[in-house]
Amino acid sequence: MTAHITAPGPPPDGGGAAPRVGGPAITFGDNVNTDVIIPGRYLVSIDPAELAEHAFEPLGPEVQRALRASGVVVAGRNFGCGSAREQAATCLIGAGIRAVVAASFSRVFFRNAINTGLVAVECPEAVDAFGAAGGAGEMWVDYDEGTVETAGRTFHFAPYPQGLKDILADGGLIPHLMREAEDGNSRGQRQGREGAGR
């Protein structure tokens, strides 16, 4: 597994609700394992900021510094293989990563990413173009439109279904379910008031 470190750029700003996210990118090769993303000894925590301190720790402090200066992880095939730990996604969020663009994902990592509010996109053409351009620069993802912009080109992927867009817009599955519950309670209270006024 290899990591290419881009020139540090400003960390991304804002939350995870905007459909267009991106920034400076850090690249990795194929088969990036969850044990490398976040070693098992740190799984006692679920705090994204605390986990971020140990993200990619096995690859050394230079890679960790480059990760924190990036907004996007670009990777090859089978990113997130290994265990089903959701901390592999939340540690990236804590480090300021807004999206992971890979040639392919471990299915469990992909779903964990969406559930925690991290944009995950399979777009091998964009990964190849980024690598062909030297593996340095920025990458931007619009998960609403289904586009990845990098190396002066725009690539398309199948846009997320509306349900996944809603989860990402709300910042993850738990905030999404809480919002739905609040909307349901508000609707029920409104209907109750209307019924009592009849």
Side-chain angles (χ1 to χ4, degrees), residues 23-60:
I26 182 171
T27 59
F28 296 92
D30 296 335
N31 302 311
V32 176
N33 194 289
T34 53
D35 288 328
V36 173
I37 299 171
I38 183 69
R41 63 184 171 276
Y42 301 116
L43 300 184
V44 294
S45 175
I46 59 171
D47 177 60
E50 185 178 338
L51 290 165
E53 294 298 314
H54 308 288
F56 288 99
E57 188 174 88
L59 300 185

Coordinates of all heavy atoms in Angstrom, one line a residue, residues 23-60:
G23 N -11.7 19.4 -1.8 CA -10.5 20.1 -1.3 C -9.3 19.4 -1.7 O -9.3 18.5 -2.6
P24 N -8.2 19.8 -1.1 CA -6.9 19.0 -1.4 C -7.0 17.6 -1.1 O -7.8 17.2 -0.2 CB -5.9 19.7 -0.4 CG -6.5 21.0 0.0 CD -8.0 20.8 -0.1
A25 N -6.3 16.7 -1.8 CA -6.5 15.3 -1.7 C -5.2 14.6 -1.3 O -4.1 15.0 -1.6 CB -7.0 14.7 -3.0
I26 N -5.4 13.5 -0.6 CA -4.3 12.6 -0.3 C -4.7 11.2 -0.9 O -5.8 10.8 -0.9 CB -4.1 12.4 1.3 CG1 -2.9 11.5 1.6 CG2 -5.4 12.0 2.0 CD1 -2.5 11.5 3.0
T27 N -3.7 10.6 -1.5 CA -4.0 9.4 -2.2 C -3.3 8.1 -1.6 O -2.2 8.2 -1.0 CB -3.5 9.4 -3.7 OG1 -2.1 9.7 -3.7 CG2 -4.2 10.5 -4.4
F28 N -4.1 7.0 -1.7 CA -3.6 5.7 -1.2 C -3.8 4.7 -2.3 O -4.6 4.9 -3.3 CB -4.4 5.3 0.0 CG -4.1 6.2 1.2 CD1 -5.0 7.3 1.4 CD2 -3.1 6.0 2.1 CE1 -4.8 8.2 2.5 CE2 -2.8 6.8 3.2 CZ -3.7 7.9 3.4
G29 N -3.2 3.6 -2.2 CA -3.3 2.5 -3.2 C -4.5 1.6 -2.9 O -5.5 2.0 -2.4
D30 N -4.3 0.4 -3.3 CA -5.4 -0.6 -3.2 C -5.4 -1.3 -1.8 O -4.4 -1.3 -1.1 CB -5.2 -1.8 -4.3 CG -5.3 -1.3 -5.7 OD1 -6.0 -0.3 -5.9 OD2 -4.7 -1.9 -6.6
N31 N -6.5 -1.9 -1.5 CA -6.7 -2.7 -0.3 C -6.2 -2.0 1.0 O -5.5 -2.6 1.8 CB -5.9 -4.0 -0.5 CG -6.3 -4.8 -1.7 OD1 -7.5 -5.0 -1.9 ND2 -5.4 -5.2 -2.5
V32 N -6.7 -0.8 1.2 CA -6.4 -0.1 2.4 C -7.3 -0.7 3.5 O -8.5 -0.6 3.5 CB -6.7 1.5 2.3 CG1 -6.5 2.2 3.6 CG2 -5.7 2.0 1.2
N33 N -6.7 -1.3 4.5 CA -7.3 -2.0 5.5 C -7.8 -1.1 6.7 O -7.1 -0.1 7.0 CB -6.4 -3.1 6.0 CG -7.1 -4.2 6.9 OD1 -7.5 -3.9 8.0 ND2 -7.2 -5.4 6.3
T34 N -8.9 -1.5 7.3 CA -9.4 -0.7 8.5 C -8.3 -0.7 9.6 O -8.3 0.2 10.4 CB -10.7 -1.2 9.0 OG1 -10.6 -2.6 9.2 CG2 -11.8 -1.0 8.0
D35 N -7.5 -1.7 9.7 CA -6.4 -1.7 10.8 C -5.4 -0.6 10.5 O -4.8 -0.1 11.4 CB -5.7 -3.1 10.8 CG -6.6 -4.2 11.4 OD1 -7.4 -3.9 12.3 OD2 -6.4 -5.3 11.0
V36 N -5.3 -0.2 9.2 CA -4.4 0.9 8.9 C -5.1 2.2 9.1 O -4.5 3.2 9.6 CB -3.8 0.8 7.5 CG1 -3.1 2.0 7.0 CG2 -3.0 -0.5 7.3
I37 N -6.4 2.3 8.7 CA -7.1 3.5 8.9 C -7.2 3.9 10.3 O -7.0 5.0 10.7 CB -8.5 3.4 8.2 CG1 -8.4 3.1 6.7 CG2 -9.3 4.6 8.5 CD1 -9.7 2.7 6.1
I38 N -7.6 3.0 11.2 CA -7.7 3.2 12.6 C -7.3 1.9 13.4 O -8.1 1.0 13.4 CB -9.0 3.8 13.1 CG1 -9.0 4.1 14.6 CG2 -10.2 2.9 12.7 CD1 -8.1 5.3 15.0
P39 N -6.1 1.8 14.0 CA -5.7 0.6 14.6 C -6.7 0.2 15.7 O -7.3 1.0 16.4 CB -4.4 0.9 15.2 CG -3.8 2.0 14.3 CD -5.1 2.8 13.9
G40 N -6.9 -1.1 15.9 CA -7.9 -1.7 16.8 C -7.7 -1.2 18.3 O -8.7 -1.1 19.0
R41 N -6.5 -0.9 18.7 CA -6.4 -0.5 20.1 C -7.1 0.8 20.5 O -7.2 1.1 21.6 CB -4.9 -0.5 20.5 CG -4.1 0.5 19.8 CD -2.6 0.4 20.2 NE -1.7 1.2 19.4 CZ -1.2 0.9 18.2 NH1 -1.5 -0.3 17.7 NH2 -0.4 1.7 17.5
Y42 N -7.5 1.6 19.4 CA -8.1 2.8 19.7 C -9.6 2.8 19.6 O -10.3 3.8 19.7 CB -7.6 3.9 18.7 CG -6.1 4.1 18.9 CD1 -5.3 3.8 17.8 CD2 -5.5 4.6 20.1 CE1 -3.9 4.0 17.9 CE2 -4.2 4.7 20.2 CZ -3.3 4.4 19.1 OH -2.0 4.6 19.2
L43 N -10.2 1.6 19.4 CA -11.6 1.5 19.2 C -12.4 1.6 20.5 O -13.6 1.6 20.4 CB -11.9 0.1 18.5 CG -11.3 -0.1 17.2 CD1 -11.8 -1.5 16.6 CD2 -11.6 1.0 16.2
V44 N -11.7 1.9 21.6 CA -12.5 2.1 22.9 C -13.2 3.5 22.8 O -14.1 3.8 23.6 CB -11.5 2.1 24.1 CG1 -11.0 0.7 24.3 CG2 -10.4 3.0 23.9
S45 N -12.8 4.3 21.8 CA -13.4 5.7 21.7 C -14.3 5.7 20.5 O -14.1 4.9 19.5 CB -12.3 6.7 21.4 OG -12.9 8.0 21.2
I46 N -15.3 6.5 20.6 CA -16.2 6.8 19.4 C -16.2 8.3 19.1 O -16.9 8.7 18.2 CB -17.7 6.3 19.7 CG1 -18.3 7.0 20.9 CG2 -17.7 4.8 19.8 CD1 -19.7 6.8 21.1
D47 N -15.3 9.0 19.7 CA -15.2 10.5 19.5 C -14.4 10.7 18.2 O -13.2 10.4 18.2 CB -14.6 11.2 20.7 CG -14.4 12.7 20.4 OD1 -15.4 13.3 20.2 OD2 -13.2 13.1 20.4
P48 N -15.0 11.3 17.2 CA -14.2 11.5 15.9 C -12.9 12.3 16.1 O -11.9 11.9 15.5 CB -15.2 12.3 15.0 CG -16.6 11.9 15.6 CD -16.4 11.8 17.1
A49 N -12.9 13.3 16.9 CA -11.7 14.1 17.1 C -10.6 13.3 17.8 O -9.4 13.4 17.4 CB -12.0 15.4 17.9
E50 N -11.0 12.5 18.8 CA -10.0 11.7 19.4 C -9.5 10.6 18.5 O -8.3 10.3 18.5 CB -10.6 11.1 20.7 CG -9.7 10.3 21.5 CD -10.3 9.7 22.8 OE1 -11.4 10.3 23.2 OE2 -9.8 8.7 23.3
L51 N -10.4 10.0 17.8 CA -10.0 9.0 16.8 C -9.0 9.5 15.7 O -8.1 8.8 15.3 CB -11.2 8.3 16.2 CG -12.0 7.4 17.1 CD1 -13.4 7.2 16.4 CD2 -11.3 6.1 17.4
A52 N -9.3 10.8 15.3 CA -8.5 11.4 14.2 C -7.0 11.5 14.6 O -6.2 11.4 13.7 CB -9.1 12.8 13.9
E53 N -6.7 11.6 15.9 CA -5.3 11.6 16.3 C -4.6 10.4 15.9 O -3.3 10.4 15.8 CB -5.3 11.9 17.8 CG -5.8 13.2 18.3 CD -5.0 14.4 17.7 OE1 -3.8 14.3 17.8 OE2 -5.7 15.3 17.2
H54 N -5.3 9.3 15.7 CA -4.6 8.0 15.4 C -4.9 7.5 14.0 O -4.5 6.4 13.7 CB -5.1 7.0 16.5 CG -4.9 7.5 17.9 ND1 -3.6 7.6 18.4 CD2 -5.8 7.9 18.8 CE1 -3.7 8.0 19.7 NE2 -5.0 8.3 19.9
A55 N -5.6 8.3 13.2 CA -5.9 7.9 11.8 C -4.7 7.7 11.0 O -3.8 8.5 11.1 CB -6.8 8.9 11.2
F56 N -4.5 6.5 10.4 CA -3.4 6.2 9.6 C -2.1 6.2 10.4 O -1.0 6.4 9.8 CB -3.3 7.1 8.3 CG -4.3 6.7 7.3 CD1 -5.5 7.5 7.2 CD2 -4.1 5.6 6.5 CE1 -6.5 7.1 6.3 CE2 -5.1 5.3 5.5 CZ -6.3 6.0 5.4
E57 N -2.1 6.0 11.7 CA -1.0 6.1 12.5 C 0.1 5.1 12.1 O 1.3 5.4 12.1 CB -1.4 5.8 14.0 CG -0.3 5.9 15.0 CD -0.8 5.8 16.4 OE1 -0.8 4.6 16.9 OE2 -1.2 6.8 17.0
P58 N -0.2 3.9 11.6 CA 0.8 2.9 11.1 C 1.7 3.5 10.0 O 2.8 3.0 9.8 CB 0.0 1.7 10.7 CG -1.2 1.7 11.5 CD -1.6 3.2 11.6
L59 N 1.2 4.5 9.3 CA 2.0 5.0 8.1 C 2.9 6.2 8.5 O 3.6 6.7 7.7 CB 1.0 5.4 7.0 CG 0.1 4.3 6.4 CD1 -0.7 4.8 5.2 CD2 1.0 3.1 6.1
G60 N 2.8 6.6 9.8 CA 3.7 7.6 10.3 C 3.2 9.0 10.3 O 2.1 9.3 9.7

